[in-house]
Amino acid sequence: MPKDTELNIKKLANNEKVFICVYSGRPLEEIKNHLKLPNVTYAGCHGLEVEYPNGKKFMIEMPEELLNKHKQLVEELKEKVVLHGAWVEDKKISVTYRYKGVNDKLKAKLVEDAKSIIKTHGFQIIETPYALEGKPRVNWDKGVGTNMILEKHFGEDWRNTLKKIIYIGDDTTDEDAMKQLFGIAKTFRVSELPNLKTYGNFQLKTPDDVSYVLKWLQSNYEKKKKN
């Protein structure tokens, strides 16, 4: 995380009127190992694992059958297509096959083999630049998780009681949350892709742009304090 982004998150998180959630497809413990942010809620595995600043946690358990399918998928991907710089990111219920560093001549065959493996295990494929996301066919995504996180913290009427909601994400999985928040929040999709199709209200090109938005928010709160 860029230092400016981290600094502005810490400043915003110290404001008692601001609720900040770091939301990821990665497991909760992995997020916490990377980030040490006080007064911030962490949500891992697309919202299946959540920990609030006071230490309170809740987890939603997936069926054993689904967990076994996921384990088998991860094992087969690692065995057959983790080659030439490609690697597998295990996200507990979903999996990402990353191939950015693979030579162009070898890429097509590896990607097709990975797609075949993911389909064989019954997982849905979402294609992103240099990665394949394998998602289980269950009624859970970042949109469902977003609704649950806000409902548990602010109550069932959060849509009417919250004054401002801002969501910033750089992944295709964040589109589910932006769709859920459409018409309610101001949402930002981070991507340099031209002609990007997104549910986001705005497009930011780089992480530096995210830092700028956070800095702008923080400066607005500072102005209100002075007034």
Side-chain angles (χ1 to χ4, degrees), residues 114-192:
K115 283 182 179 179
S116 177
I117 293 169
I118 293 169
K119 285 179 182 177
T120 300
H121 288 271
F123 278 58
Q124 178 186 358
I125 296 174
I126 298 175
E127 295 191 51
T128 66
Y130 306 111
L132 299 174
E133 182 94 13
K135 292 177 65 177
R137 298 184 184 277
V138 294
N139 187 28
W140 189 273
D141 54 38
K142 280 188 177 178
V144 179
T146 294
N147 183 74
M148 183 192 66
I149 291 166
L150 292 172
E151 189 173 294
K152 281 188 173 291
H153 192 72
F154 296 102
E156 294 182 1
D157 199 32
W158 62 266
R159 290 173 180 82
N160 299 315
T161 56
L162 295 181
K163 291 182 178 180
K164 293 184 180 70
I165 304 171
I166 294 172
Y167 187 101
I168 304 175
D170 69 351
D171 195 76
T172 53
T173 58
D174 291 302
E175 290 291 334
D176 294 318
M178 293 177 190
K179 183 178 180 180
Q180 173 74 29
L181 295 170
F182 192 78
I184 305 171
K186 297 297 182 187
T187 55
F188 298 78
R189 175 69 192 276
V190 185
S191 174
E192 293 187 13

Side-chain angles (χ1 to χ4, degrees), residues 13 18-20 37-42 50-56 153:
V18 177
F19 170 81
I20 293 183
L37 299 170
N39 305 318
V40 167
T41 295
Y42 294 101
V50 181
E51 181 175 332
Y52 291 100
N54 61 6
K56 183 180 178 182
H153 192 72

Side-chain angles (χ1 to χ4, degrees), residues 14 31 35 37 60 63 69 75-76 85 92 95 101 111-112 116 121 193:
N14 282 331
I31 303 168
L35 302 173
L37 299 170
I60 295 177
K69 282 185 178 180
E75 288 176 352
E76 187 169 354
K92 284 197 174 181
V95 60
V111 171
E112 285 307 309
S116 177
H121 288 271
L193 293 176

